[in-house]
């Protein structure tokens, strides 16, 4: 049985880890390298770094932070934010990242997913999808947003489920699915969204946005069909430890790695 992964997310802004609510009102949460090392020691399965204003500021990602982290952390490291070209992907992998997450650039030029997967292998290419919920009168649907590091991002008008189908076809190896509505709210993952996407995703889906209590993790896995669960606030501000989450999931007969 494949184990479910527990992944702390470190949103980095101006060299510091920050955490906000629905991508706004960020507060400082610590030094990225120190936090990454701490989570490595605590038993995290992977780490995700997002340079959250790289795309909106139109600048390159934080290579120095990635390389320093890779020297101290010995679990898979995914890095995203401001990655626009094959050269950017290569730089991140050379700096020590195991996977590279693309979001805004993938929406702007979908063939970038296929080019990256062919150049480096699908296992290295993660597509981050930030979505916001709406009601079209016939039920819920979800729209993709980009440039989410500033002012909540820009709506693309792109249906999230249709985008997931395209991402899979283009050769991505994994999806990080983030609910903007739930982000930082500590009210649980968007299970409806996870269920809608998991029908079409033949690659691993990482649930992101909203974890606030231990049962939220199990809900995302058992009802949302998530392959991994990502969280930030409750780890950064010590509401729960990685071990507590894993112990809880294990008690619910969900396979985790100790």
């Amino acid at each position: 049985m494949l184990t479910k992964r527990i992944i702390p997310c470190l949103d980095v802004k101006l060299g510091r880890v920050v955490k906000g609510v629905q991508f706004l009102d960020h507060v400082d949460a610590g030094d990225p390298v120190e936090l990454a090392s701490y989570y490595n020691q605590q038993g995290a399965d992977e780490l995700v770094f997002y340079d959250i204003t790289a795309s909106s500021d139109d600048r390159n990602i934080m290579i120095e932070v990635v390389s320093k982290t890779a020297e101290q952390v010995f679990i898979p490291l995914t890095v995203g934010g401001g990655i626009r070209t094959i050269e950017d992907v290569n730089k991140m992998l050379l700096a020590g990242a195991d996977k590279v997450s693309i979001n805004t650039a993938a929406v702007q030029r979908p063939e970038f997913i296929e080019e990256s997967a062919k150049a480096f292998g699908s296992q290295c290419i993660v597509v981050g999808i930030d979505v916001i919920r709406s009601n079209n009168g016939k039920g819920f649907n979800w729209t993709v947003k980009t440039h989410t590091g500033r002012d909540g991002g820009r709506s693309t008008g792109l249906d999230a489920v249709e985008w997931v189908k395209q991402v899979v076809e283009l050769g991505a190896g994994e999806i990080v699915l983030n609910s903007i509505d739930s982000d930082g709210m500590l009210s649980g993952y968007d299970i409806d969204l996870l269920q809608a996407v998991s029908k079409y995703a033949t690659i691993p889906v990482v649930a992101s946005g909203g974890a606030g209590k231990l049962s939220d993790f199990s809900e995302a896995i058992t009802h949302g069909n998530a392959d991994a669960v990502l969280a930030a606030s409750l780890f950064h501000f010590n509401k729960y430890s990685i071990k507590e989450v894993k112990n809880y999931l294990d008690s619910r007969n969900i396979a985790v790695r100790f």
Side-chain angles (χ1 to χ4, degrees):
M1 181 184 296
L2 290 175
T3 57
K4 301 299 183 180
R5 293 168 287 149
I6 313 302
I7 307 174
C9 178
L10 292 81
D11 291 335
V12 179
K13 182 179 181 180
L14 301 176
R16 299 286 292 179
V17 176
V18 297
K19 191 65 195 88
V21 175
Q22 297 179 331
F23 292 18
L24 301 171
D25 302 323
H26 297 110
V27 296
D28 189 272
D31 177 80
V33 180
E34 290 178 3
L35 271 176
S37 181
Y38 171 76
Y39 290 134
N40 179 65
Q41 295 169 9
Q42 291 296 306
D45 296 302
E46 298 185 16
L47 290 172
V48 170
F49 265 135
Y50 284 127
D51 188 339
I52 61 171
T53 56
S55 287
S56 52
D57 290 350
D58 193 29
R59 61 175 170 74
N60 294 326
I61 197 170
M62 47 193 184
I63 291 179
E64 185 177 356
V65 170
V66 174
S67 60
K68 285 183 177 179
T69 301
E71 289 173 1
Q72 298 187 31
V73 170
F74 305 103
I75 55 177
L77 175 63
T78 299
V79 179
I83 296 184
R84 306 175 184 88
T85 66
I86 291 291
E87 183 181 1
D88 291 338
V89 176
N90 191 47
K91 285 179 180 177
M92 288 302 103
L93 296 175
L94 289 175
D98 298 277
K99 307 177 200 176
V100 169
S101 179
I102 54 179
N103 183 334
T104 295
V107 173
Q108 293 173 334
R109 200 171 69 85
E111 56 268 32
F112 181 37
I113 301 171
E114 185 174 27
E115 293 166 2
S116 299
K118 286 182 177 179
F120 304 102
S122 291
Q123 76 281 356
C124 293
I125 306 304
V126 177
V127 174
I129 305 179
D130 297 326
V131 304
I132 192 161
R133 178 187 286 235
S134 60
N135 192 331
N136 60 8
K138 300 178 182 179
F140 291 116
N141 65 347
W142 295 269
T143 303
V144 176
K145 297 188 83 173
T146 60
H147 298 84
T148 44
R150 295 283 186 192
D151 303 320
R154 306 174 189 172
S155 180
T156 64
L158 182 64
D159 180 80
V161 175
E162 294 303 315
W163 178 229
V164 164
K165 294 177 185 178
Q166 191 174 357
V167 163
V168 171
E169 291 175 358
L170 288 168
E174 186 169 77
I175 291 168
V176 174
L177 186 66
N178 191 50
S179 167
I180 295 174
D181 303 283
S182 301
D183 180 75
M185 300 298 287
L186 306 178
S187 56
Y189 298 98
D190 189 332
I191 302 301
D192 292 334
L193 170 63
L194 288 166
Q195 290 176 340
V197 164
S198 65
K199 292 178 183 178
Y200 304 100
T202 55
I203 58 178
V205 174
V206 181
S208 173
K213 56 186 185 295
L214 292 172
S215 60
D216 292 336
F217 292 98
S218 59
E219 286 283 313
I221 293 167
T222 58
H223 296 297
N225 302 313
D227 298 277
V229 281
L230 180 150
S233 296
L234 54 74
F235 290 144
H236 297 339
F237 303 120
N238 299 310
K239 184 173 182 179
Y240 295 113
S241 67
I242 303 290
K243 185 176 181 181
E244 285 176 302
V245 173
K246 289 192 172 186
N247 284 341
Y248 177 83
L249 294 178
D250 182 60
S251 75
R252 297 299 185 274
N253 297 313
I254 295 171
V256 292
R257 184 185 298 112
F258 286 100

